[in-house]
Amino acid sequence: MTDSDRRRLLAAAAGGATAALLPGLAAAQAQLLDTVRIVTGFPPGGTSDTLCRRLAEGLRGIYARNALVENKPGAGGQLAVEQMKIAPSDGTTILQTPASMLMIYPHVYKKLNYNPFEDVTALSVAAAFAFGLAVGPAVPDSVKTVSDFIAFAKANPDKANFATPGAGSVPHFLGALLSMASGVELKHIPFRGSQPAILDLIGGQVSAVSAPEGEFFQNAKAGKIRVLATSGPSRSRFLPDVATYTEQGFPTVTAREWFGLFLPGKPSADVLQRANTAVRQALATQPVVEGLATMGLEATSSTPQELAAMLRADHDRWGPIVKKIGFTADA
């Protein structure tokens, strides 16, 4: 599946979200769960957490009486996925995760403690987004482009580094691809989430951060950091004044990612349908759409089958890229 195909799928899913509110919704409302837990593998304050909390607001009253968010950070998002192996498959637990944990980690971790195609079941796409590269006080104010940053890194090898939300994530590989394309070695510094990395960026402990673009909005607006590039195939509608990597001469440094929703194990067809109907309704509401936009997320949705197909296609596409970069979890 090409990026163009994927964008068309996401656009079609978003446009059809309202139409997808099936007649079975009335029955689902009559069978409200007492509590649904939305589990994320990242700490509060970032894009993943924001998505979960917005979704929880949308699910209250249409799917469950109560909707709680559980942050289970650790191992670059793995712990939350691992928890799904012991979670009930009755619709009371929903995993929300970036694609990396399922499409890339199987290629880099020799002993991954879950199988993305067996231990969870695709429910719906939730949002799509691009990544950004930002610099902070450790880098001179004269650094305004990616080429400027590469020149700085070449002249200052002790400061030639970039931080990310975790090893083996898309932001990590974008930094690795930039290093390969530029011929300048950039040291990767993994964090447990984007926000801790950005705090160190602001504090001057790291030179740059590669992360979802929405993570940078608040501090960029305040003038604490500068976003040098975004990773989409075209400029982001959220950062229209920031040129893409491709525009700046680095066409291989291009990627968008999605946040997906999954149920543990193998839920029944009825449980899967009721959950899908509810999350698609929630993701189509104006408060959720507008709330996610503040973090650079484009709210969308899909059928379980569409998400499963995207996961398989992206898993297969990233395999050769990971091999080319040569990264493993033991490296």
Side-chain angles (χ1 to χ4, degrees):
M1 182 182 293
T2 65
D3 286 341
S4 178
D5 291 335
R6 190 172 295 102
R7 289 195 299 275
R8 284 197 294 271
L9 186 155
L10 290 171
T18 303
L21 306 183
L22 306 176
L25 179 59
Q29 289 175 323
Q31 304 174 41
L32 286 180
L33 299 174
D34 179 61
T35 301
V36 61
R37 298 183 305 124
I38 305 174
V39 181
T40 173
F42 295 89
T47 51
S48 186
D49 177 69
T50 296
L51 172 54
C52 288
R53 296 186 187 282
R54 295 292 183 177
L55 179 62
E57 293 169 5
L59 290 179
R60 290 189 186 100
I62 68 166
Y63 183 66
R65 295 178 182 86
N66 302 293
L68 308 176
V69 176
E70 290 193 8
N71 300 89
K72 297 290 183 180
Q78 291 183 57
L79 296 186
V81 186
E82 289 176 12
Q83 184 174 315
M84 295 302 101
K85 295 177 69 173
I86 59 173
S89 300
D90 57 2
T92 59
T93 302
I94 297 175
L95 168 69
Q96 186 283 123
T97 181
S100 294
M101 285 78 250
L102 304 177
M103 72 182 185
I104 292 181
Y105 282 14
H107 299 296
V108 300
Y109 286 92
K110 295 179 180 179
K111 295 182 179 180
L112 196 65
N113 292 323
Y114 57 83
N115 185 313
F117 301 105
E118 295 181 4
D119 293 330
V120 295
T121 294
L123 176 58
S124 173
V125 177
F129 59 97
F131 300 91
L133 178 72
V135 295
V139 173
D141 292 342
S142 58
V143 173
K144 300 183 183 300
T145 67
V146 176
S147 293
D148 289 343
F149 175 67
I150 292 301
F152 165 80
K154 186 176 182 179
N156 300 272
D158 58 321
K159 295 183 178 181
N161 60 63
F162 70 99
T164 72
S169 63
V170 174
H172 172 196
F173 287 121
L174 287 172
L177 289 171
L178 176 62
S179 182
M180 293 175 65
S182 65
V184 175
E185 182 177 356
L186 300 174
K187 180 183 178 182
H188 175 232
I189 305 175
F191 280 73
R192 295 179 65 180
S194 299
Q195 288 305 308
I198 293 172
L199 286 176
D200 271 13
L201 179 68
I202 294 171
Q205 281 77 46
V206 298
S207 296
V209 169
S210 175
E213 61 179 357
E215 304 277 7
F216 299 125
F217 290 170
Q218 182 176 358
N219 289 301
K221 185 176 181 180
K224 297 179 180 179
I225 60 176
R226 302 186 302 284
V227 182
L228 303 184
T230 56
S231 69
S234 58
R235 290 199 183 195
S236 167
R237 70 182 179 91
F238 302 110
L239 293 171
D241 295 330
V242 178
T244 65
Y245 282 105
T246 297
E247 287 180 282
Q248 298 184 59
F250 300 94
T252 60
V253 191
T254 301
R256 282 171 60 83
E257 193 174 0
W258 44 263
F259 282 112
L261 302 172
F262 296 81
L263 294 182
K266 302 295 180 184
S268 68
D270 178 63
V271 166
L272 186 62
Q273 181 60 66
R274 286 192 294 113
N276 179 263
T277 299
V279 299
R280 295 185 77 175
Q281 180 183 16
L283 290 167
T285 61
Q286 186 174 359
V288 173
V289 172
E290 293 180 350
L292 296 187
T294 63
M295 294 295 288
L297 302 176
E298 297 177 10
T300 185
S301 65
S302 73
T303 66
Q305 295 77 17
E306 288 168 335
L307 174 55
M310 287 176 59
L311 174 58
R312 173 59 70 179
D314 284 343
H315 171 274
D316 294 346
R317 180 173 64 91
W318 275 96
I321 297 175
V322 172
K323 185 176 181 179
K324 178 181 178 182
I325 292 172
F327 172 80
T328 67
D330 300 323

